[in-house]
Amino acid sequence: MKALSQLAAMIVSPEPDSESSELSPSSVSIRDMAIDDIAPVYHLGEELFTSDLYPYLYRTWDEWEVIGLYNTDPEYCMVAEVNEQLAGFVLGTVITKASWTYGYIIWLGIDPNFQRRGIGDKLVDKIVERMIEEGARSMLVDTDPANLPAVNFFTRKGFGNAHKHIFLSMNLSKHEYYGRLIAYERDKADRNKHRRPRRRP
C-alpha cells in the first residue's frame, strides 16, 4: 500500500462543474477505466494541468501517473462518458494506516466542454461510494488554495477541515554546491562517453 507521504499533492481541473445545467442522468455513463482509456485520459490531463495554470502540477502529471494508478488501483480509476465521448476522469487510491482506512482522490479532471454540468459530482459520488465499500472511514483530497472553483466544489461535496500546504523549491543548477556537483557529473559522463573501449587480448 502506498504511504500518504509518497503521494504528491494533486489538483482538480481548473473549473470543476457545478449543479447548474446538469446533463440528464441517462446521457452520462460512469464506468471503470479500461486500458484503451489510458491515452485519452492522459491527453485530457495534459490540457487541464498546464504549466501556465499549475506549474507544480505540470511537473507531476505524466503518463506514468495514469498507468501507475491503473495498474495499482484500477478499481479507483473511473471515466465519465457522454455519447461515448470522454467527459472526465477520477483517479484515486485507498491508504491504510494503523486502524484507519482513507480514500484519497488524487486526480479529478473534467473536459472543458462538459464542465459545470454535473460530471464531477457523479465521478466523486461514484468513487466515494466504492471507497466506502472497501472500508474507507475518511476521504482526502487536495487542491491549490487559489483554485477557488475546486475548493468550492469539494466544500459543497462535504469536504472540510482545510489545511494549507506550502511547497518550496530549489533550482539545483543555480545552487553553488549542487551546481558544481551537477557540472562534475556531466563532465564525468562526457569523459566516459568518449573513452575508447579497451581491446581484449
Side-chain angles (χ1 to χ4, degrees):
M1 186 61 67
K2 295 177 183 176
L4 181 58
S5 60
Q6 292 175 303
L7 297 171
M10 307 304 175
I11 312 277
V12 182
S13 61
E15 292 184 38
D17 42 15
S18 67
E19 292 175 317
S20 61
S21 69
E22 283 193 19
L23 294 162
S24 68
S26 60
S27 65
V28 181
S29 169
I30 307 294
R31 61 170 175 79
D32 291 345
M33 194 168 89
I35 196 164
D36 291 340
D37 297 313
I38 290 175
V41 164
Y42 166 66
H43 291 303
L44 176 56
E46 269 191 319
E47 291 177 29
L48 298 172
F49 310 120
T50 66
S51 59
D52 292 341
L53 286 170
Y54 305 113
Y56 173 70
L57 272 192
Y58 181 74
R59 291 190 294 271
T60 58
W61 176 260
D62 60 29
E63 63 271 23
W64 299 110
E65 279 295 305
V66 185
I67 293 168
L69 287 165
Y70 178 75
N71 284 331
T72 60
D73 297 278
E75 64 273 39
Y76 309 119
C77 297
M78 301 176 211
V79 296
E81 286 184 328
V82 175
N83 299 325
E84 299 185 356
Q85 180 182 347
L86 177 68
F89 62 86
V90 64
L91 310 175
T93 189
V94 165
I95 304 153
T96 300
K97 298 193 86 168
S99 61
W100 279 84
T101 300
Y102 301 85
Y104 185 21
I105 296 174
I106 303 174
W107 294 99
L108 174 64
I110 310 300
D111 185 306
N113 296 318
F114 295 101
Q115 288 176 6
R116 303 187 179 281
R117 300 176 73 182
I119 303 290
D121 284 286
K122 292 176 175 60
L123 283 166
V124 169
D125 290 346
K126 188 65 177 176
I127 198 170
V128 169
E129 177 186 315
R130 187 162 293 180
M131 288 176 170
I132 290 171
E133 290 171 0
E134 292 297 315
R137 298 173 63 187
S138 182
M139 289 294 300
L140 301 173
V141 67
D142 42 50
T143 188
D144 188 328
N147 188 353
L148 292 179
V151 173
N152 293 337
F153 170 78
F154 281 112
T155 301
R156 180 171 60 77
K157 295 301 291 179
F159 289 80
N161 195 23
H163 296 278
K164 289 188 178 180
H165 237 43
I166 295 176
F167 292 93
L168 304 174
S169 64
M170 175 173 62
N171 186 334
L172 293 176
S173 62
K174 293 184 178 179
H175 188 282
E176 183 180 346
Y177 172 76
Y178 294 115
R180 288 198 309 268
L181 188 60
I182 289 169
Y184 170 78
E185 290 297 332
R186 284 184 183 148
D187 289 344
K188 182 178 168 184
D190 285 342
R191 286 194 303 272
N192 288 336
K193 186 169 60 175
H194 297 298
R195 184 177 294 166
R196 298 175 82 179
R198 293 181 182 175
R199 289 185 181 177
R200 293 185 178 179

